[in-house]
Amino acid sequence: MWHFVDLTDAEKHTRRLILNKYGFIAQLSALSIILLVALWRWLLPSAFPRSQKPAPASASALSSSITNDALEMIPQSPGERERSPGSRNLGGENGDVRAGEEAVGLIAAEGEARGSTMGVDEAVREPEREKERYISKTGKVSAWLDGSIREGWKETRRQVLCIGLWGVWLGVLVFRETGDDYFHLTKRFAQVPVSLLPFHYLLGTPARLSPLPWLFRVPASASYNAYHRLYGALMLLLLFFHAIFYVNSYIQRGLGWAPFGLRTVILGLAMVGVLAVLAAMSMEEVRRSWRAGFSWVHVLGAGGVLGLLWFHVSHARWYVIEAGVVYAAGLWNRGMKWKN
């Protein structure tokens, strides 16, 4: 069980190295998912090329051909017999008899062909039936996954499921190698989500500046705002635990209100507060009723989070620089849009 432990400077340094390691693992995990999805989208068509071989003739086509040939061998009337090129070689009634015998033979051959090709025809059709059944089943599942989790919401079950699985993985990264050190766990609640701040900003970047549509081979109009909002809520939850665990430590150690006057604590609580406001503004009802205000608050709040985090703790500044590059690109895009 986690409890307060006294660490030497060397042990604190080791803890910091472990914290940085799990921040790096979180970033590497996000990058790996992006690259794996991109590879899947780019390589899947070449991995399963369409066959250019002509399909074998079916029994129905073969039997139809034989039947037509057989019927053409039997003249329907003396007039047709005179006009038929083959009637000259058949010679009167004897010719009719021979024509009938040949027709009967061809019809018998049709029956044999039907029986012999039925197995081939079934073998050809069975994979197609399997494919149709698979598409039917997966189509129903896909339609359910693409359904909204709540009427009026844009987030789908698929998106919620993806972020939920991602949240489970982040939970693993939060708790691994924390031992019984209460403050190690507390710091990990912030280290993991903050390390992913650049990817969070990337999900909210306009499509024409984001590399994601090109990587995933989707139209440039594709939006990842739903994932941006869902991960934002997950990030806020982890940072909320980070703040609660610190406040609990102040209470447990009897420090009173003294820590709340420290610059680090003030900036940290302010950052969580800004994120909470952004999350509230991202709700569908608020976005729909106050679109212009939502955009301005979101842009200013995203920049404010970076500034607060920069001065909150020094070891988070590399993540701030990464997210700042993405944020600046988004500002440039908005500036060009306003200019035009």
Side-chain angles (χ1 to χ4, degrees), residues 197-214:
L197 200 60
F199 296 95
H200 178 58
Y201 278 45
L202 182 62
L203 289 173
T205 301
R208 70 170 184 164
L209 288 177
S210 174
L212 297 180
W214 179 82

Side-chain angles (χ1 to χ4, degrees), residues 54-59 117-130:
S58 64
T117 58
M118 187 173 297
V120 176
D121 193 43
E122 288 298 318
V124 171
R125 291 182 180 179
E126 186 58 30
E128 296 178 357
R129 291 172 183 160
E130 283 292 331

Side-chain angles (χ1 to χ4, degrees), residues 74-88 90-93 96:
I74 305 176
Q76 300 298 318
S77 67
E80 290 182 359
R81 188 164 59 240
E82 291 297 328
R83 290 191 298 269
S84 176
S87 64
R88 298 175 183 176
L90 294 176
E93 294 181 0
D96 289 346

